[in-house]
């Protein structure tokens, strides 16, 4: 038996499916050759990953196929980045540039970021990250805003690559500090271009004594890190960064597999509020937080679009508060649903309306996203009980009984206790919704309305987008007693991503959303919680800012050691259990 046969025999004798995440590594380009130092791929291998070398190809299909087949991205070192690509004139200090590499690398970095893929940038790679994510790179360190020339650090060292020539200070509470557990690290240095503005998506996590930025990382709780030095030459100490990338890639791969296997459902978005602005749901539209590309990137199967009806104040008319000329609230809701149906007709191969779990599963198997529809504010009924059936026939899955103001159905959490809870007409509405299989939604309802509805309804009720009052004391949030009562009637509460309901004051993040989710589970149990983003209705926080970032919710749940079974419930099965009834 020859040597190859011996190797093959060993492979087949001990064959098992590999769990190594695939790490895509960008290559250099010189004189017609795609090249890569062996140190990069050997460090990835030693860290537990499977290295895949990526040639600098501009083909959009190749780039997208590459991203479909890797679990993390490593941006490597090399020459300067062409400043003309971002509208700057070249400086006389600029070194050699190469458009063959620059364009595909910047594109793949941005697309990987949009997919929430873990990214590590090294030397030129940190600069690629900064430019791809709206930061800035000085064409020479002497042009950097914070550079202190009198300190005398040589950033383009002449020593061997394994030699550490200067120190960097690491900021506390950063990914880099977690990796190394120290405030200072000695590094090697081979560069003259330098990041001088981290931009909106990154923060500085290390600097050198002469004021230059030596490391950046995500400002949005994402697995994105860039360093200016060359850790691939620094043995086991340098390998720590590659271990970090591989482990984040492993977690990302698990989240992708899980999201492919389960139903991921968002119970509330207000994207129809932007229908008057000529948005295109089939494109990655910067005006909206939910569209087909973002749902695909975030691996979100179902979005629930509501027809939101603003509550007129005294002296106002409904027609004054909506962007389309309509005869009244019912006509407005119908118009919104007509426009949603037009979207699904235009992109019928990519999205369809769903009214049940079976519809969602059929769409998922066919490679389509699903839109469920609902009404936010029972004002749409126009005081006519027959309109409940009208909208049920249109396919709505729930009606949020009120919004920010009392209506004919019930009192609002921000109302004035017109009825002292649910009105007599409201009780009839709830019973008719029960009869027709339309879920009763008490997000926005006053506490009195909540308890009245719970007593009146013969079916479980929902709160499609609410948070915990014990963590954020606003009237719109549910008290622990309300949450217990909801669970006792087999209802479900969907944590929302609105800053003011997660944290008051201050900007909230995915960490706050997880804290509210954990509290709700402690009070209600894991069978009664889910996620209702309120995207395009002011929902969206750092870490889950739009539909493309929804996979980060799965990643955080995995980090919290939730079982796959519980994640399945949280992501959709709890909600669908109630909707099915």
């Amino acid at each position: 038996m020859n040597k190859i046969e011996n190797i093959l025999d060993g492979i087949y004798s001990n064959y098992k499916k590999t769990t190594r995440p695939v790490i895509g590594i960008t290559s250099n380009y010189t004189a017609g050759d795609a090249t890569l130092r062996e140190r990069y791929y050997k460090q990835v291998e030693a860290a537990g990953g499977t290295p895949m070398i990526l040639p600098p190809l501009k083909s959009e299909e190749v780039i997208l196929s590459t991203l479909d087949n890797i679990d993390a991205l490593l941006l490597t070192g090399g020459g300067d980045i062409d400043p003309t690509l971002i509208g700057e004139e070249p400086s006389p200090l600029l070194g050699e540039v190469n458009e063959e590499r620059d364009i595909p690398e910047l594109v793949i970095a941005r697309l990987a970021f949009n997919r929430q893929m873990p990214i590590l940038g090294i030397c030129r790679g940190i600069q690629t990250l900064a430019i791809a994510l709206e930061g800035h790179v000085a064409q020479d360190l002497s042009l950097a805003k914070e550079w202190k020339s009198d300190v005398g650090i040589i950033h383009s060292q002449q020593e061997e690559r394994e030699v550490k020539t200067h120190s960097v200070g690491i900021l506390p509470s950063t990914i880099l500090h977690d990796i190394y557990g120290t405030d200072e690290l000695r590094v090697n240095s081979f560069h003259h271009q330098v990041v001088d503005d981290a931009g909106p998506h990154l923060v500085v996590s290390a600097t050198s004594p002469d004021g230059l930025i030596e490391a950046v990382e995500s400002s949005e709780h994402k697995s994105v890190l860039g360093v200016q030095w060359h850790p691939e030459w620094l043995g086991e100490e340098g390998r720590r960064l590659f271990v970090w990338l591989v482990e984040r890639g492993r977690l990302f791969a698990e989240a992708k597999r899980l999201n492919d296997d389960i139903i991921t459902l968002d119970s509330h978005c207000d994207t129809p509020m932007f229908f008057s602005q000529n948005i295109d749901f089939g494109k990655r539209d910067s005006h909206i937080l939910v569209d087909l590309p973002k749902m695909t990137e975030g691996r979100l199967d179902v979005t629930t679009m509501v027809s939101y009806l603003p509550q007129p104040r005294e002296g106002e008319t409904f027609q004054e508060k909506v962007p389309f000329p309509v005869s009244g609230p019912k006509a407005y809701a119908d118009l919104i649903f007509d426009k949603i149906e037009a979207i699904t007709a235009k992109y019928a191969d990519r999205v369809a309306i769903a009214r049940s779990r079976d519809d969602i599963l059929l769409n998922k198997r066919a490679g389509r996203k699903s839109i469920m529809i609902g009404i936010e504010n029972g004002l749409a009924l126009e005081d006519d009980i027959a309109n409940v059936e009208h909208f049920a026939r249109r396919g709505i899955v729930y009606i949020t009984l009120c919004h920010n103001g009392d209506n004919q159905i019930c009192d609002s959490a921000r109302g004035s206790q017109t009825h002292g809870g649910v009105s007599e007409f409201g009780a009839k509405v709830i019973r008719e919704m029960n009869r027709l299989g339309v879920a009763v939604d008490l997000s926005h309802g006053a506490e009195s309305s909540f308890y009245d509805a719970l007593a009146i309804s013969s079916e479980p009720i929902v709160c499609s987008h609410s948070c915990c009052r014990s963590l954020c004391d606003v009237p719109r949030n549910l008290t622990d007693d309300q949450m217990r009562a909801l669970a006792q009637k087999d209802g479900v509460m969907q944590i929302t991503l609105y800053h003011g309901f997660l944290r008051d004051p201050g900007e909230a993040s995915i960490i706050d959303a997880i804290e509210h989710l954990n509290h709700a589970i402690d009070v209600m149990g894991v069978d009664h919680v889910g996620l209702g983003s309120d995207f395009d209705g002011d929902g969206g926080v750092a870490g889950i800012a739009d539909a493309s970032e929804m996979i980060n919710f799965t990643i955080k749940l995995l980090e919290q050691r939730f079982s796959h079974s519980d994640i399945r419930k949280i992501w959709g099965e709890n909600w669908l259990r109630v909707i099915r009834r």
Side-chain angles (χ1 to χ4, degrees):
M1 187 180 289
N2 63 35
K3 188 172 183 179
I4 300 301
E5 291 296 331
N6 277 330
I7 294 172
L8 291 172
D9 185 58
I11 289 173
Y12 289 122
S13 297
N14 300 290
Y15 182 78
K16 61 180 179 179
K17 187 174 181 180
T18 180
T19 58
R20 282 177 168 252
V22 178
I23 313 300
I25 310 174
T26 59
S27 59
N28 213 334
Y29 185 80
T30 307
D33 292 327
T35 61
L36 183 70
R37 294 267 190 170
E38 67 173 4
R39 296 284 179 132
Y40 288 111
Y41 59 79
K42 287 191 173 180
Q43 283 279 32
V44 168
E45 179 194 26
T50 299
M52 178 187 289
I53 300 172
L54 310 179
L57 291 170
K58 296 179 184 178
S59 164
E60 294 176 11
E61 286 190 8
V62 169
I63 290 173
L64 291 173
S65 178
T66 296
L67 290 169
D68 285 340
N69 289 282
I70 63 175
D71 303 312
L73 179 65
L74 174 58
L75 301 168
T76 60
D80 288 357
I81 298 173
D82 186 354
T84 65
L85 295 175
I86 54 171
E88 289 187 9
E89 288 298 316
S91 161
L93 300 172
L94 184 69
E96 182 181 349
V97 298
N98 191 320
E99 185 179 298
E100 283 296 316
R101 180 181 185 185
D102 289 347
I103 291 176
E105 199 161 275
L106 288 166
V107 169
I108 200 170
R110 184 59 175 266
L111 289 173
F113 178 80
N114 287 347
R115 292 184 179 212
Q116 315 312 307
M117 184 175 289
I119 306 174
L120 173 62
I122 292 175
C123 196
R124 169 197 160 95
I126 185 180
Q127 298 159 17
T128 302
L129 263 181
I131 292 174
L133 302 184
E134 304 171 67
H136 185 263
V137 171
Q139 295 182 45
D140 185 79
L141 60 85
S142 64
L143 303 174
K145 291 175 284 189
E146 303 300 326
W147 184 53
K148 302 170 186 174
S149 60
D150 57 340
V151 174
I153 291 177
I154 299 174
H155 286 276
S156 187
Q157 68 184 56
Q158 302 301 310
E159 289 82 357
E160 294 298 319
R161 292 183 176 270
E162 296 90 341
V163 177
K164 303 172 185 178
T165 56
H166 70 82
S167 65
V168 298
I170 301 176
L171 277 67
S173 302
T174 58
I175 295 171
L176 200 59
H177 199 282
D178 289 343
I179 291 170
Y180 283 102
T182 182
D183 297 333
E184 186 175 286
L185 196 67
R186 292 198 64 79
V187 300
N188 51 359
S189 196
F190 300 87
H191 69 99
H192 78 100
Q193 285 194 324
V194 64
V195 176
D196 65 349
D197 182 354
H201 301 288
L202 301 169
V203 293
V204 176
S205 54
T207 58
S208 54
D210 57 358
L212 295 184
I213 294 172
E214 289 283 345
V216 296
E217 61 186 58
S218 171
S219 60
E220 302 160 335
H221 306 280
K222 301 177 184 179
S223 300
V224 179
L225 175 62
V227 298
Q228 188 60 73
W229 63 92
H230 280 269
E232 74 276 16
W233 289 93
L234 299 180
E236 291 187 8
E237 180 184 279
R239 190 172 304 141
R240 294 190 193 186
L241 292 174
F242 296 89
V243 169
W244 171 84
L245 182 66
V246 167
E247 290 309 309
R248 299 310 298 181
R250 196 186 310 278
L251 189 64
F252 184 65
E254 184 180 358
K256 288 189 297 181
R257 289 192 299 269
L258 183 55
N259 276 28
D260 287 343
D261 184 53
I262 65 177
I263 294 172
T264 54
L265 180 149
D266 177 2
S267 62
H268 188 93
C269 85
D270 282 300
T271 306
M273 289 175 64
F274 289 81
F275 282 175
S276 62
Q277 298 183 22
N278 296 317
I279 61 165
D280 190 338
F281 193 72
K283 297 180 180 178
R284 203 175 202 279
D285 194 318
S286 61
H287 298 95
I288 51 178
L289 303 183
V290 184
D291 54 39
L292 284 173
K294 294 188 187 81
M295 289 181 72
T296 300
E297 289 167 341
R299 284 177 152 77
L300 178 65
D301 297 320
V302 189
T303 186
T304 308
M305 288 190 182
V306 297
S307 175
Y308 159 67
L309 294 97
Q311 184 73 26
R313 293 189 178 91
E314 188 174 348
E316 292 180 323
T317 66
F318 178 78
Q319 287 81 358
E320 291 174 327
K321 298 182 73 68
V322 293
F324 297 107
V326 291
S327 60
K330 174 177 177 285
Y332 181 78
D334 276 328
L335 177 65
I336 292 299
F337 297 145
D338 289 344
K339 290 183 178 296
I340 293 172
E341 288 174 354
I343 287 171
T344 58
K346 181 178 180 180
Y347 298 108
D349 59 329
R350 297 165 63 192
V351 64
I353 290 176
R355 295 174 173 84
S356 68
R357 185 178 187 276
D358 287 344
D359 288 348
I360 293 167
L361 289 172
L362 284 172
N363 287 338
K364 184 158 183 165
R365 282 195 287 267
R368 291 190 296 264
K369 300 300 182 184
S370 293
I371 296 176
M372 286 185 150
I373 59 175
I375 290 173
E376 187 173 23
N377 195 349
L379 187 70
L381 301 181
E382 293 186 342
D383 307 331
D384 186 348
I385 197 72
N387 283 331
V388 178
E389 185 164 0
H390 166 78
F391 286 117
R393 290 183 181 279
R394 292 225 63 168
I396 64 169
V397 294
Y398 69 81
I399 298 175
T400 311
L401 296 188
C402 63
H403 194 252
N404 290 338
D406 301 346
N407 61 18
Q408 264 57 52
I409 295 173
C410 68
D411 295 338
S412 165
R414 299 190 183 278
S416 54
Q417 293 295 301
T418 302
H419 311 288
V422 172
S423 70
E424 185 176 337
F425 172 69
K428 293 177 181 177
V429 168
I430 290 169
R431 294 187 184 103
E432 183 70 349
M433 290 169 68
N434 289 165
R435 183 181 76 82
L436 294 166
V438 176
V440 177
D441 178 21
L442 261 296
S443 284
H444 287 287
E447 277 192 66
S448 54
S449 300
F450 174 90
Y451 285 113
D452 281 354
L454 209 59
I456 295 165
S457 180
S458 61
E459 297 292 342
I461 67 171
V462 300
C463 292
S464 66
H465 56 303
S466 296
C467 289
C468 306
R469 198 181 300 183
S470 64
L471 300 183
C472 183
D473 189 11
V474 295
R476 260 285 277 112
N477 285 344
L478 301 184
T479 66
D480 288 2
D481 285 343
Q482 284 179 284
M483 290 156 59
R484 278 188 282 268
L486 183 65
Q488 286 168 6
K489 294 292 288 282
D490 201 31
V492 64
M493 168 191 180
Q494 306 286 102
I495 299 300
T496 195
L497 302 177
Y498 179 65
H499 288 276
F501 301 158
L502 289 168
R503 175 185 287 273
D504 187 25
E507 290 292 302
S509 74
I510 188 173
I511 306 303
D512 298 290
I514 294 295
E515 184 180 2
H516 278 258
L517 177 75
N518 280 327
H519 180 76
I521 291 171
D522 289 343
V523 173
M524 305 170 72
V526 77
D527 293 325
H528 303 284
V529 295
L531 185 68
S533 69
D534 206 14
F535 285 150
D536 291 317
D538 286 335
V541 296
I544 325 181
D546 61 38
S548 73
E549 302 186 4
M550 284 298 223
I551 194 171
N552 291 336
F553 186 59
T554 307
I555 291 170
K556 288 299 178 188
L557 294 178
L558 290 169
E559 287 179 343
Q560 295 268 312
R561 306 297 184 187
F562 280 96
S563 69
H564 286 196
S565 174
D566 283 348
I567 294 174
R568 180 186 298 271
K569 292 177 181 179
I570 294 165
W571 248 131
E573 294 297 342
N574 291 339
W575 176 262
L576 291 171
R577 180 189 72 245
V578 176
I579 296 300
R580 188 160 56 239
R581 293 180 56 168

